[in-house]
Amino acid sequence: MTGLKYQLKNSRRDKMCMLAFILPVLVGIAIHLLSGVSFQAMEETAFGIIENNMSDDAVKWLRSNGAVSEFDTRAALEAAVNDPSTQMIGVLPAGEGIQTIISGDELEVNQVIAETLPELYNNRNAALTFSSTILSPTTDNEGLKSLLIAMTLVTAMFMGCTFNAMNIIGEKEEGIGLVNQILPVSMVAFVSQKILLGFLGGTASSLMTAMICMKIAREQLAPFLLIVLLSAYISALAGLFIGHYANELMVGIGYIKIVMVIFLAPPIFFYLTVPHDSFIFRLSYLLPSSATFYGMMDVLNGRRVDMILTMGILLIHAVFWSLAYGCIRKIRQTDV
């Protein structure tokens, strides 16, 4: 217990550890504040026109297809279109129709819209030969918002890695690591003591973030808690590996950044680009964070979590990396 108190005191002095704990919570608060914002509206096409330069019919048609902003002069309109922070399409009258102006650095989808808009306007009164159905979202956490929440939660779980790595590296620099090697403490007790702080920190950060920015159905509560606990343990274990191999602070920070990118980037890439029933998607489970991210997305979107697959993979990773770390420590003690 004394060792745990010392580790906590040491971590509180480390700004990187405190930032790793607080940052996901702050992001969760930001996502919560955006809960009333329509993410579909944020993606709405923006049109720019010159005030009193187009017919009411044309302006009404543009408003039915996107957001319309009016400008006093053509120079002001062109400045807004050329602004790199906007994706605005300029619209000008051209005889009985319209013409568009763009800067050329827009997204490809907006460039296509600009090219086809005059033709769409000319055919606006043509009878449609097909019917359309608008499907409303099944939950409040679909799309971009659920993706942001899942990324934030994975980051919160990862903070245990930062806690443990920085703590062990700090002990090495202060010479405490040499003292730990000769203490009459079993390997299981030493590892448990070292991993506990990161595990508790990652779990606390994840739960605080989840309480702020997401609503969990009662039937999803058990899968969510199991995912958090197993993922926080694996993350804390990763911190032990980094602390074992990094002898300097800057080297440790570099390792933490590399591991964090590996934890976050591949699951998001596979989830968005690879068919979920493909072999490559299954191969992504070689990373423990993949099971965490996919499970969180299922929880957020109200889908049933595949408990056997998700928990089985996380358990396999937890057991495998625990045994691997134990073997590494035994080999090092034998060499010493």
Side-chain angles (χ1 to χ4, degrees):
M1 195 67 181
T2 304
L4 184 61
K5 289 181 179 179
Y6 171 78
Q7 292 180 76
L8 181 60
K9 182 179 180 181
N10 191 32
S11 298
R12 279 163 42 189
R13 293 200 306 263
D14 194 310
K15 295 181 180 179
M16 186 172 180
C17 290
M18 298 308 299
L19 182 62
F21 181 85
I22 296 174
L23 186 59
V25 179
L26 295 179
V27 175
I29 294 174
I31 294 175
H32 177 71
L33 294 176
L34 291 173
S35 60
V37 178
S38 171
F39 285 90
Q40 292 179 342
M42 292 172 65
E43 299 172 357
E44 192 175 23
T45 305
F47 301 111
I49 63 174
I50 300 175
E51 190 176 5
N52 300 324
N53 194 40
M54 298 186 66
S55 64
D56 293 339
D57 180 63
V59 174
K60 182 179 179 180
W61 182 80
L62 287 174
R63 293 189 187 280
S64 67
N65 290 280
V68 177
S69 301
E70 297 185 356
F71 298 89
D72 296 334
T73 63
R74 175 161 181 161
L77 172 62
E78 292 179 349
V81 171
N82 290 326
D83 188 342
S85 64
T86 70
Q87 293 287 316
M88 182 173 292
I89 299 173
V91 182
L92 298 172
E96 296 296 326
I98 60 174
Q99 63 177 352
T100 58
I101 55 175
I102 58 176
S103 63
D105 61 353
E106 292 86 359
L107 297 173
E108 184 176 354
V109 62
N110 287 336
Q111 294 183 23
V112 173
I113 291 174
E115 292 176 0
T116 58
L117 195 67
E119 184 177 353
L120 291 174
Y121 178 77
N122 293 334
N123 297 318
R124 65 190 183 282
N125 295 322
L128 298 177
T129 58
F130 61 89
S131 60
S132 61
T133 302
I134 299 176
L135 299 178
S136 59
T138 56
T139 70
D140 294 329
N141 287 316
E142 289 187 344
L144 180 59
K145 185 178 178 182
S146 60
L147 186 65
L148 289 173
I149 294 174
M151 291 169 58
T152 304
L153 288 174
V154 174
T155 304
M157 297 171 204
F158 182 83
M159 67 82 55
C161 173
T162 304
F163 260 45
N164 288 345
M166 299 303 292
N167 176 260
I168 296 174
I169 295 172
E171 289 184 350
K172 285 183 177 181
E173 292 185 337
E174 295 172 3
I176 301 175
L178 296 176
V179 178
N180 290 335
Q181 294 179 14
I182 61 174
L183 288 177
V185 180
S186 66
M187 184 183 68
V188 174
F190 177 81
V191 172
S192 299
Q193 178 179 303
K194 287 298 179 186
I195 209 170
L196 185 59
L197 180 62
F199 170 75
L200 293 177
T203 302
S205 180
S206 302
L207 294 179
M208 289 176 62
T209 304
M211 290 174 59
I212 293 171
C213 65
M214 65 183 291
K215 296 179 180 178
I216 305 174
R218 182 176 300 177
E219 60 274 11
Q220 297 281 43
L221 185 59
F224 171 77
L225 290 176
L226 288 173
I227 291 173
V228 169
L229 293 175
L230 287 172
S231 301
Y233 173 81
I234 295 171
S235 174
L237 190 60
L240 298 189
F241 278 94
I242 294 175
H244 179 82
Y245 286 106
N247 294 318
E248 297 179 1
L249 179 61
M250 295 309 298
V251 174
I253 293 176
Y255 286 164
I256 290 172
K257 291 183 178 296
I258 293 172
V259 173
M260 187 172 185
V261 170
I262 294 175
F263 261 62
L264 285 175
I268 298 172
F269 173 79
F270 285 116
Y271 186 84
L272 296 176
T273 63
V274 178
H276 293 189
D277 57 351
S278 66
F279 172 76
I280 297 178
F281 187 83
R282 296 294 181 181
L283 198 63
S284 68
Y285 282 108
L286 290 174
L287 286 174
S289 56
S290 294
T292 301
F293 184 80
Y294 304 153
M296 283 298 164
M297 290 299 294
D298 289 340
V299 171
L300 288 164
N301 292 324
R303 294 191 295 264
R304 179 179 176 273
V305 179
D306 191 337
M307 295 286 288
I308 296 177
L309 177 63
T310 303
M311 303 308 160
I313 289 180
L314 289 175
L315 279 173
I316 290 172
H317 276 289
V319 173
F320 174 80
W321 292 112
S322 296
L323 294 174
Y325 183 74
C327 292
I328 291 173
R329 280 195 58 83
K330 282 185 176 180
I331 293 173
R332 182 170 182 178
Q333 290 176 354
T334 301
D335 293 340
V336 173

